[in-house]
């Protein structure tokens, strides 16, 4: 997945665009690491609603948050509406276990996940909020196996406005 500086996705938002130590992974994940010796950091989230990857807490965009230093979990935020597949850690993507996925839905799941490999394999994951059912479309010789769909509960009391 490509990585982008926040300024490339939000060039007209000066508080976000000046952030040079956080980046987007793909178009739905924001990574904001802390560096050695930092006691914490401040981060202004881009517009929209974001979810803490680890807790599911919803946070309003354009708000500045304080992130304490923690060695256990790097700060990662997921755009509201994201359908996010997760695989177990393997030594290589050639390992068949890397094609066994659990899917997490952040918010209403209106942002489908789509992947096309250079070999021509493709995967599309969609979530229907009304039926609470996920659908899979894929093509190729090495199919993905979806073992679980989980809707991440948002704790709206954590939503900062």
């Amino acid at each position: 997945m490509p990585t982008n500086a926040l300024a490339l996705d939000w060039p007209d938002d000066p508080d976000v665009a000046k952030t040079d130590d956080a980046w987007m992974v793909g178009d739905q994940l924001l990574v904001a690491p802390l560096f050695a010796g930092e006691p914490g950091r401040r981060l202004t989230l881009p517009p929209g609603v974001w979810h803490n990857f680890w807790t599911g807490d919803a946070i309003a965009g354009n708000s500045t948050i304080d992130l304490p230093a923690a060695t256990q979990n790097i700060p990662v935020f997921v755009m509201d509406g994201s359908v996010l597949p997760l695989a177990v850690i393997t030594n290589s993507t050639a390992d068949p276990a890397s094609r066994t996925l659990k899917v997490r839905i952040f918010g209403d799941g209106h942002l489908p996940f789509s992947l096309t490999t250079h070999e021509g394999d493709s995967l599309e994951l969609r979530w229907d909020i009304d039926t609470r059912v996920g659908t899979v479309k894929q093509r190729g010789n090495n199919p993905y196996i979806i073992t679980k769909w989980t809707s991440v509960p948002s704790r709206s009391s954590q939503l900062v406005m």
Side-chain angles (χ1 to χ4, degrees):
M1 285 197 165
T3 58
N4 285 339
L6 299 182
L8 293 175
D9 291 330
W10 291 278
D12 298 327
D13 188 326
D15 289 330
V16 175
K18 71 181 178 188
T19 303
D20 62 359
D21 57 356
W23 55 89
M24 294 296 295
V25 177
D27 59 358
Q28 298 173 2
L29 290 177
L30 188 155
V31 179
L34 286 99
F35 296 94
E38 283 186 306
R41 68 169 294 169
R42 297 194 78 159
L43 174 69
T44 300
L45 290 168
V49 175
W50 295 84
H51 296 264
N52 180 310
F53 173 81
W54 306 105
T55 66
D57 290 346
I59 307 164
N62 291 116
S63 60
T64 300
I65 57 175
D66 290 312
L67 302 169
T71 56
Q72 184 176 9
N73 294 323
I74 186 170
V76 177
F77 300 90
V78 184
M79 187 178 288
D80 186 60
S82 295
V83 175
L84 183 66
L86 300 168
V88 296
I89 296 172
T90 60
N91 288 327
S92 161
T93 56
D95 184 331
S98 71
R99 290 182 164 266
T100 300
L101 307 173
K102 292 181 180 179
V103 180
R104 292 174 69 189
I105 313 305
F106 292 85
D108 65 6
H110 71 275
L111 298 173
F113 175 84
S114 181
L115 169 74
T116 302
T117 68
H118 63 275
E119 294 90 5
D121 294 343
S122 66
L123 173 67
E124 183 177 292
L125 304 171
R126 292 187 175 273
W127 180 252
D128 185 317
I129 188 65
D130 295 326
T131 62
R132 301 187 60 76
V133 172
T135 57
V136 180
K137 284 177 43 178
Q138 56 184 320
R139 186 180 71 226
N141 297 323
N142 298 305
Y144 291 88
I145 299 166
I146 311 301
T147 60
K148 185 176 185 180
W149 295 79
T150 304
S151 183
V152 176
S154 295
R155 291 185 265 178
S156 59
S157 63
Q158 298 296 317
L159 185 62
V160 178
M161 294 292 194

